[in-house]
Amino acid sequence: MMIEDPAGGRTPYAALASVGVTPWTSHAEMQDVSFELQGRELMSLRTMQAWNVLRSTRRRLLVDLLMYDLGEEEPSAVDEGSVSCGAGVPPVWAGRLLDELIRFDR
């Protein structure tokens, strides 16, 4: 689940919401967002900066990582079998996190 940090200000996704950009917008679709912004006369410094952040894979991953909710489990509530000690299979939440972070590159 993606959440916005209320203390973090407006996200690039919020700046581009008027043209339908969400965390689930594909990477290919993100490349064409500037045309939509220009076509609707919504290209401003703020929307251009937001688009520049989200069209870069590395910067978008960082934005998504900072918005990602790891779940409602408390660290003490996680059983010892799901915590990785650096070797073997990663915990289930890490797999879900990676799936969410790379979803737009498919």
Side-chain angles (χ1 to χ4, degrees):
M1 176 177 161
M2 303 291 280
I3 58 170
E4 285 190 46
D5 180 3
R10 295 184 49 90
T11 67
Y13 291 111
L16 299 176
S18 61
V19 291
V21 172
T22 70
W24 293 271
T25 300
S26 73
H27 186 65
E29 292 170 329
M30 189 61 70
Q31 302 308 307
D32 295 333
V33 165
S34 67
F35 300 120
E36 187 69 26
L37 289 167
Q38 291 173 17
R40 294 187 187 184
E41 297 182 0
L42 295 173
M43 184 64 89
S44 66
L45 180 60
R46 183 169 168 266
T47 57
M48 186 184 328
Q49 288 172 338
W51 177 65
N52 280 331
V53 167
L54 295 179
R55 71 186 177 119
S56 163
T57 303
R58 287 179 183 218
R59 290 182 291 200
R60 186 170 179 186
L61 284 172
L62 180 60
V63 169
D64 285 358
L65 178 64
L66 296 174
M67 292 177 60
Y68 199 88
D69 178 17
L70 292 178
E72 299 175 10
E73 296 179 81
E74 292 293 323
S76 60
V78 178
D79 63 5
E80 292 179 21
S82 68
V83 177
S84 174
C85 61
V89 178
V92 174
W93 65 263
R96 288 193 314 256
L97 175 61
L98 289 174
D99 285 345
E100 285 293 314
L101 290 176
I102 61 174
R103 75 193 169 284
F104 61 85
D105 226 6
R106 294 182 184 152

